[in-house]
């Protein structure tokens, strides 16, 4: 559930709860005012039968009751009755006096023509002196006293007050209801606050704590998103960022190690030929090369060592530019079959001098067109071949190059019968500065950049390169380049030629 919906539901719930409580209160007020439910009306009637008048009205009624007992004919004195009625008006109460079935006095407070018909009959025993009655929808409470005039006629004095259950209930219950409403609102707010705190604020605090850990350099923790809302997605994004930072930090540390290894390797590779060159130069200076043959041999050795150093520096420079994507690729359409045949022809004599038998297997029955940079692709072939020659340790050295084509890819495989590569080292041979053979002698030494450069070039062509190897049997380097046309292409037995 999103935070927006959660907040909307929170405040909507708050509003609904408040409205429901107000509606419930209003319903109670309405029931009390209209008397729609008999039970509520009975409650009000019972209450007003016991306490029909105010405290002041009750005092005046007691005074009128005393007058009725001791001087009943005083109720024929209109000025006296108006005086009592005036006192009762301050209490919103009126006076009514009757004799037999006739009305002697009625307060203007009532203005109710049918008042005499709603009054209770005479009860000279005064067993029920308080009660209530209704006239239409108007509700009245009264206190009465029945007596006899001096001539024996029956009379009654009523102190009547029109009561509004709504107003009275409001006056009595409003403080309680107000306090209850405030309590409900406070409780609802507390619950909503706890809910929002648990679902929003607390995760944000955790997120802040995680940010502080990262600021302090600690990436060794895990932030599990508690939900799938906006905060959860934010935490997931933060966790992804932490993982990437951790990986970047790991790669940075690995790069640091690689740079240290590079410096160590290059220092060794440069120091060794420099030491040799210095030794031969000192030999020449000391007169050791005292014949033209020795002098020529020393000079040739110094020249070879210098060329090796130059090649090493050039490889480092090339790999650096490839790594930073600073080498442009001049791609042209070419037939990979013709390219490989020309490359093999160039390699043939050099391989024969080194005692290597080379076999070429063309599995394509027609031209296989690719887009490639001729110079860089030739560099790739040379690096793969040089790497294979370094590790050929058998008496009979054998190298096989094969080409296969399908509608999408042209695949060139370089297979040798060298010493092979250990299984744990195989995934790393295309990494920069990595060498499966750790020795740095003149036969197998190097910067470890040959295959790394080959991978950069092949991937720069949009192709793939991988290796397969069995220790003790040999290694196969597989290069795949994407074809640009499949028209007329096909697979077949092709031609096999050994050189």
């Amino acid at each position: 559930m999103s935070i927006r919906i959660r907040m909307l539901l929170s405040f909507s719930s708050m509003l609904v709860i408040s409205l429901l409580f107000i509606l419930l209160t209003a319903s109670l007020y309405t029931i009390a005012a209209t008397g729609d439910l008999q039970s509520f009306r009975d409650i009000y009637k019972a209450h007003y039968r016991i306490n029909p008048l105010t405290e002041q009205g009750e005092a005046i009624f007691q005074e009128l009751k005393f007058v009725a007992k001791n001087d009943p004919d005083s109720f024929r004195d209109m000025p006296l009755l108006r005086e009592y009625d005036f006192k009762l008006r301050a209490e919103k109460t009126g006076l009514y006096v009757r004799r037999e079935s006739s009305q002697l006095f009625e307060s203007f407070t009532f203005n109710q023509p049918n008042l005499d018909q709603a009054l209770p009959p005479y009860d000279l025993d005064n067993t029920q002196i308080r009660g209530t009655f209704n006239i239409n929808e108007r509700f009245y409470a009264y206190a009465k006293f029945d007596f006899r005039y001096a001539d024996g006629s029956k009379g009654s004095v009523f102190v009547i007050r029109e009561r509004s259950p709504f107003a009275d209930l409001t006056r009595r219950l409003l403080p309680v209801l107000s306090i209850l409403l405030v309590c409900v609102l406070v409780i609802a707010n507390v619950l909503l606050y706890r809910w929002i705190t648990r679902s929003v604020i607390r995760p944000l605090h955790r997120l802040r704590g995680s940010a502080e850990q990262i600021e302090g350099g600690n990436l060794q923790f895990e932030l599990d998103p508690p939900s799938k809302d906006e905060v959860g997605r934010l935490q997931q994004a933060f966790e992804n960022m932490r993982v990437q930072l951790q990986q970047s930090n790991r790669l940075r540390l690995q790069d640091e190690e690689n740079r240290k290894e590079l410096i160590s390797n290059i220092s060794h590779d440069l120091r060794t030929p420099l030491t040799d060159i210095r030794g031969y130069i000192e030999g020449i200076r000391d007169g050791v090369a005292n014949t033209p043959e020795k002098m020529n041999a020393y000079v040739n050795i110094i020249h070879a060592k210098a060329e090796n150093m130059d090649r090493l520096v050039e490889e480092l420079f090339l790999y650096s530019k490839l790594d930073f994507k600073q080498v442009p690729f001049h791609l042209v359409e070419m037939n990979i079959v013709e390219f490989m045949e020309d490359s093999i022809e160039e390699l043939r004599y050099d391989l024969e001098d080194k005692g290597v038998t080379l076999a070429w297997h063309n599995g394509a029955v027609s031209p296989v067109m690719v887009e490639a940079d001729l110079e860089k692709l030739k560099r790739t072939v040379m690096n793969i071949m040089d790497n294979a020659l370094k590790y050929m340790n058998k008496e009979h050295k054998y190298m096989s190059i094969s080409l296969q084509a399908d509608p999408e890819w042209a695949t060139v495989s370089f297979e040798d019968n060298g010493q092979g590569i250990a299984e744990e080292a195989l995934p790393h041979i295309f990494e920069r500065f990595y060498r499966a053979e750790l020795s740095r002698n003149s036969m197998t030494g190097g910067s470890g950049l040959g295959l790394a450069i080959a991978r950069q070039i092949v991937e720069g062509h949009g192709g793939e390169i991988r290796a397969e190897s069995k220790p003790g049997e040999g290694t196969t380097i597989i290069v795949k380049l994407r074809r640009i046309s499949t028209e007329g292409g096909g697979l077949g037995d092709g031609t096999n030629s050994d050189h």
Side-chain angles (χ1 to χ4, degrees), residues 159-355:
V159 176
I160 303 172
R161 186 183 184 192
E162 183 175 2
R163 306 300 298 264
S164 170
F166 177 80
D168 189 71
L169 187 64
T170 300
R171 186 180 66 252
R172 292 176 178 272
L173 297 183
L174 184 59
V176 176
L177 293 176
S178 299
I179 294 174
L180 185 59
L181 178 60
V182 170
C183 292
V184 170
L185 294 177
V186 170
I187 293 173
N189 272 298
V190 169
L191 295 177
L192 291 175
Y193 173 77
R194 286 178 56 85
W195 182 39
I196 294 176
T197 299
R198 291 176 62 88
S199 59
V200 179
I201 307 301
R202 190 175 298 176
L204 290 179
H205 284 324
R206 291 183 58 200
L207 195 61
R208 184 186 65 183
S210 301
E212 291 174 352
Q213 290 191 61
I214 292 178
E215 183 181 6
N218 178 25
L219 296 172
Q220 304 300 322
F221 65 92
E222 186 174 354
L223 186 63
D224 295 325
S227 61
K228 295 183 178 180
D229 56 15
E230 289 89 344
V231 175
R233 289 195 292 270
L234 176 61
Q235 289 186 326
Q236 185 61 56
F238 192 88
E239 173 64 14
N240 294 339
M241 181 191 70
R242 183 198 66 81
V243 172
Q244 292 181 2
L245 285 175
Q246 191 176 32
Q247 293 174 349
S248 299
N249 191 48
R250 189 181 299 114
L251 290 175
R252 182 181 61 81
L253 294 176
Q254 183 63 43
D255 287 343
E256 289 290 338
E257 292 297 323
N258 289 340
R259 279 193 290 270
K260 292 178 181 178
E261 183 181 355
L262 172 65
I263 293 173
S264 175
N265 293 341
I266 299 306
S267 299
H268 182 279
D269 287 343
L270 291 177
R271 186 184 301 113
T272 300
L274 282 174
T275 301
D276 293 340
I277 291 172
R278 185 171 56 205
Y280 284 110
I281 291 175
E282 289 178 354
I284 294 173
R285 187 179 61 184
D286 294 341
V288 175
N290 52 10
T291 65
E293 292 79 9
K294 284 186 177 182
M295 178 65 70
N296 187 53
Y298 276 32
V299 170
N300 288 336
I301 293 174
I302 291 172
H303 181 265
K305 298 292 184 181
E307 283 189 341
N308 290 337
M309 293 175 60
D310 182 68
R311 185 169 59 252
L312 174 62
V313 173
E314 190 270 336
E315 281 190 349
L316 290 170
F317 184 64
L318 175 61
Y319 181 82
S320 176
K321 291 199 297 183
L322 287 170
D323 196 32
F324 287 101
K325 311 299 181 186
Q326 295 177 348
V327 178
F329 283 75
H330 304 288
L331 302 178
V332 296
E333 293 186 11
M334 71 174 190
N335 183 0
I336 188 66
V337 177
E338 295 180 354
F339 171 80
M340 290 305 303
E341 289 177 348
D342 292 341
S343 298
I344 290 171
E345 186 66 24
E346 293 179 9
L347 291 170
R348 182 168 63 88
Y349 297 106
D350 185 50
L351 293 176
E352 286 179 354
D353 291 341
K354 296 179 180 179

Side-chain angles (χ1 to χ4, degrees), residues 308-474:
N308 290 337
M309 293 175 60
D310 182 68
R311 185 169 59 252
L312 174 62
V313 173
E314 190 270 336
E315 281 190 349
L316 290 170
F317 184 64
L318 175 61
Y319 181 82
S320 176
K321 291 199 297 183
L322 287 170
D323 196 32
F324 287 101
K325 311 299 181 186
Q326 295 177 348
V327 178
F329 283 75
H330 304 288
L331 302 178
V332 296
E333 293 186 11
M334 71 174 190
N335 183 0
I336 188 66
V337 177
E338 295 180 354
F339 171 80
M340 290 305 303
E341 289 177 348
D342 292 341
S343 298
I344 290 171
E345 186 66 24
E346 293 179 9
L347 291 170
R348 182 168 63 88
Y349 297 106
D350 185 50
L351 293 176
E352 286 179 354
D353 291 341
K354 296 179 180 179
V356 179
T357 302
L358 178 63
W360 161 240
H361 304 278
N362 178 18
V365 297
S366 62
V368 180
M369 304 303 295
V370 299
E371 277 190 340
D373 186 315
L374 292 175
E375 182 182 350
K376 294 181 177 61
L377 194 58
K378 186 173 292 186
R379 180 63 178 265
T380 299
V381 174
M382 295 300 298
N383 284 4
I384 293 174
M385 296 296 292
D386 288 344
N387 188 77
L389 291 174
K390 289 177 185 177
Y391 300 103
M392 285 188 178
N393 57 355
K394 294 182 174 62
E395 182 178 355
H396 176 66
K397 301 175 182 179
Y398 176 80
M399 189 79 188
S400 173
I401 303 176
S402 62
L403 171 67
Q404 298 292 331
D406 59 34
E408 186 177 0
W409 297 97
T411 304
V412 182
S413 300
F414 302 82
E415 181 180 359
D416 64 62
N417 67 339
Q419 67 186 42
I421 302 172
E423 183 178 357
E424 62 273 12
L426 193 60
H428 306 288
I429 64 172
F430 295 104
E431 296 177 3
R432 54 186 175 180
F433 317 127
Y434 184 85
R435 293 178 305 145
E437 172 61 55
L438 298 180
S439 67
R440 306 197 65 85
N441 55 54
S442 60
M443 296 297 296
T444 62
S447 63
L449 291 173
L451 291 181
I453 291 174
R455 184 184 69 175
Q456 290 278 13
I457 293 175
V458 172
E459 292 180 351
H461 282 79
E464 301 174 3
I465 186 170
R466 59 186 175 87
E468 298 175 355
S469 183
K470 292 182 179 179
E473 297 184 13

Side-chain angles (χ1 to χ4, degrees), residues 38-105:
Q38 186 63 35
S39 58
F40 281 98
R41 182 177 292 276
D42 292 342
I43 292 174
Y44 295 133
K45 284 185 176 181
H47 171 73
Y48 291 128
R49 284 194 185 106
I50 299 174
N51 301 294
L53 306 177
T54 64
E55 184 177 351
Q56 185 63 28
E58 183 67 24
I60 296 174
F61 171 69
Q62 293 298 331
E63 186 176 342
L64 291 170
K65 182 179 176 181
F66 179 79
V67 172
K69 289 181 179 180
N70 296 283
D71 188 10
D73 288 338
S74 298
F75 289 117
R76 296 180 181 181
D77 185 357
M78 291 299 145
L80 178 62
L81 295 178
R82 282 193 289 270
E83 181 181 349
Y84 279 112
D85 183 56
F86 180 78
K87 294 179 181 179
L88 291 171
R89 285 181 189 177
E91 301 298 317
K92 297 182 180 180
T93 307
L95 178 64
Y96 186 90
V97 179
R98 68 180 176 181
R99 181 177 180 183
E100 296 294 343
S101 59
S102 301
Q103 170 189 310
L104 290 182
F105 182 84

